[in-house]
Amino acid sequence: MGWMMRRSVVRGAVALTVLAMACTGTGVASADPAVTPSSTAPATAQLPSRIVTKAVVAGQETLLEVYSAAMGRVIPLTVLRPKDTSRPAPVLYLLNGAGGGEDSATWKAKTDYQKFFADKHVNVVTPNSGAFSYYTDWQKDDPVLGRNKWQTFLTQELPPLVDEAFNTTGADAIAGISMAGTSVFNLAIAAPKLYRSVAAFSGCARTSDPLGQAYIRTVVGDRGRGDITNMWGPLDGPGWKDNDPFLHADKLKGVKVYMTTGTGLPGRYDVPNARLIDGNPATLLDQVLMGGVIEAVVDSCTQQMQQALVANGVDTTLTVRPTGTHSWEYWERELHSTWPEIAKDLAAQS
C-alpha cells in the first residue's frame, strides 16, 4: 500500500479516534508533558505595560520579564540576541506548544535552537508562559487558567517594548508548534501589518468545526482543566468562527505563510535510538501512537488550510513529510529548513 493511501486510511481512523477521545475526556495532545498552570488572580491596579527585568543569563541569552497590563501579571520571556548587537536586528517571535514554556517541552529543552541561532542576526523572543491558552484573548477569566489576554500582549503590548529594548529593525515574524501553530494565524490576522512571515509547525488551523473543537477540548479542557467556553464562548457561538483562521484566510494576504506537517506514520525520529526517545519503550510507544494520531489530525487540518490560503491568493509554502509524528525532532528540523526563507522576508526592504 502506497503512503498516500495509508495516509487516507490513517486520517479516517484518526477523526473517529479524536472525537471519541474528546467525548470520553481522554487527552490527545500528550506529546507535551502535563503542566499545572498558574491560577493566580491578576492584579487589579491599572499599571502600564513595561519591562520589569532585563538580565543576561548566559552568552546570548537574556531573560526578560514584562508586566502585561491586559493580564495584570508579569510574563517571563527568553530572548536570544545576535552576536553583533551594535546594529539593529529583526525579531522572530517563537512560541512553544500546549505547555506554553511552563513545562519541560520547550524549544530550549528539546532542540538545538540556541546553537542554531547563535550565528543568525536576529532576536528570538519566546514567552515562557501561556499554558493551554491558545495565545488568544479569552472572553472570560477562567477559574483554573486565570486571565488570558495573549493576543493583546503579543500584538500590542510586547512588540514596542522589545523594539525599544533591543534596537530592532522593526521587521517581525512569528512561528509556533502544535497549539501555537494555530495561534500564529490568529495573531497575524489580528495585527495585519505586524508580521512579515508566519510559520506553523504541526498546527491545526481549523477551530470552529467539530473535529477542531474536539482537538481544542483535549488541550484546554482535558489537559489544562480549563473551560473552553470561557475562551471563545459557546461552541455554536460567533466567537469560534471569529477565531477560525480557515474562515478568514483572505486576511492573511500580504503575509508569507509557511506550514509543515507529517502524516502520523512512524518516521526517522520514531525509533528507539532517537535522541529524545533514548531507548525508553514508554516514550517511543507514546510518540508513535499518540503522536501519530495527533499528527494525522494536524495533517488533515493543514491540507484544508492550504486550500483556503491558495484560493485566497496568499503566498504559501507547504511542506508535507510522508512520515513523522507530533514530536520535537521534526520541529527542530523544520525550523532549520524554514528559517532561510523567513530570514529573507525579515531582511526585505519594506
Side-chain angles (χ1 to χ4, degrees):
M1 184 185 298
W3 74 265
M4 288 293 290
M5 184 176 295
R6 291 199 303 271
R7 183 172 69 179
S8 298
V9 173
V10 169
R11 282 181 180 172
V14 160
L16 296 175
T17 301
V18 172
L19 289 173
M21 287 177 173
C23 293
T24 59
T26 303
V28 170
S30 61
D32 300 322
V35 63
T36 302
S38 171
S39 59
T40 302
T44 56
Q46 293 299 309
L47 301 173
S49 300
R50 65 196 186 281
I51 293 177
V52 177
T53 302
K54 176 184 174 186
V56 176
V57 177
Q60 293 167 242
E61 181 182 357
T62 293
L63 173 65
L64 202 64
E65 292 185 319
V66 176
Y67 176 78
S68 166
M71 290 187 277
R73 65 176 186 266
V74 173
I75 307 299
L77 305 101
T78 297
V79 182
L80 300 185
R81 300 280 281 133
K83 284 184 178 179
D84 182 3
T85 58
S86 66
R87 57 191 179 98
V91 179
L92 172 64
Y93 291 93
L94 186 62
L95 307 183
N96 288 301
E102 298 177 27
D103 57 4
S104 61
T106 65
W107 285 104
K108 181 177 179 179
K110 298 295 186 180
T111 76
D112 68 350
Y113 100 122
Q114 288 178 300
K115 179 180 178 181
F116 177 74
F117 282 111
D119 62 350
K120 311 294 190 291
H121 193 67
V122 63
N123 297 287
V124 183
V125 179
T126 302
N128 298 317
S129 185
F132 314 117
S133 69
Y134 266 84
Y135 288 114
T136 189
D137 280 5
W138 286 43
Q139 292 183 3
K140 298 179 181 179
D141 293 355
D142 188 83
V144 175
L145 300 179
R147 177 167 296 173
N148 289 292
K149 297 292 182 182
W150 288 97
Q151 184 172 288
T152 296
F153 177 71
L154 290 170
T155 65
Q156 299 177 30
E157 297 178 329
L158 182 62
L161 296 174
V162 168
D163 289 343
E164 182 178 2
F166 297 109
N167 184 31
T168 75
T169 63
D172 299 327
I174 189 165
I177 61 157
S178 192
M179 177 190 82
T182 302
S183 309
V184 293
F185 291 116
N186 280 329
L187 291 167
I189 290 170
K193 298 186 182 300
L194 181 57
Y195 309 112
R196 296 188 180 186
S197 302
V198 170
F201 305 126
S202 298
C204 183
R206 298 302 307 270
T207 63
S208 64
D209 70 322
L211 187 59
Q213 290 180 335
Y215 184 91
I216 292 172
R217 184 183 289 112
T218 63
V219 176
V220 177
D222 296 344
R223 293 189 58 211
R225 304 192 308 282
D227 183 343
I228 61 173
T229 63
N230 286 331
M231 187 165 76
W232 292 327
L235 295 180
D236 59 351
W240 288 81
K241 292 182 179 179
D242 290 345
N243 288 279
D244 191 331
F246 175 80
L247 300 179
H248 302 284
D250 61 305
K251 296 181 180 179
L252 289 165
K253 287 182 179 178
V255 179
K256 293 284 290 296
V257 174
Y258 305 94
M259 296 187 296
T260 69
T261 177
T263 61
L265 298 171
R268 62 186 294 186
Y269 300 122
D270 306 303
V271 294
N273 63 349
R275 177 174 59 86
L276 295 179
I277 293 176
D278 194 27
N280 188 317
T283 301
L284 176 60
L285 185 64
D286 180 70
Q287 184 165 304
V288 170
L289 295 182
M290 196 63 71
V293 167
I294 296 171
E295 195 70 3
V297 172
V298 163
D299 183 29
S300 178
C301 294
T302 301
Q303 299 289 347
Q304 293 177 53
M305 187 62 177
Q306 166 75 355
Q307 294 171 11
L309 291 168
V310 170
N312 284 280
V314 178
D315 190 344
T316 309
T317 300
L318 170 63
T319 301
V320 180
R321 290 177 271 105
T323 59
T325 59
H326 200 72
S327 47
W328 278 99
E329 287 197 87
Y330 295 105
W331 300 329
E332 176 184 88
R333 175 184 173 188
E334 287 157 1
L335 176 64
H336 289 190
S337 63
T338 305
W339 168 250
E341 297 304 313
I342 297 176
K344 291 177 185 177
D345 301 332
L346 290 172
Q349 295 297 317
S350 59

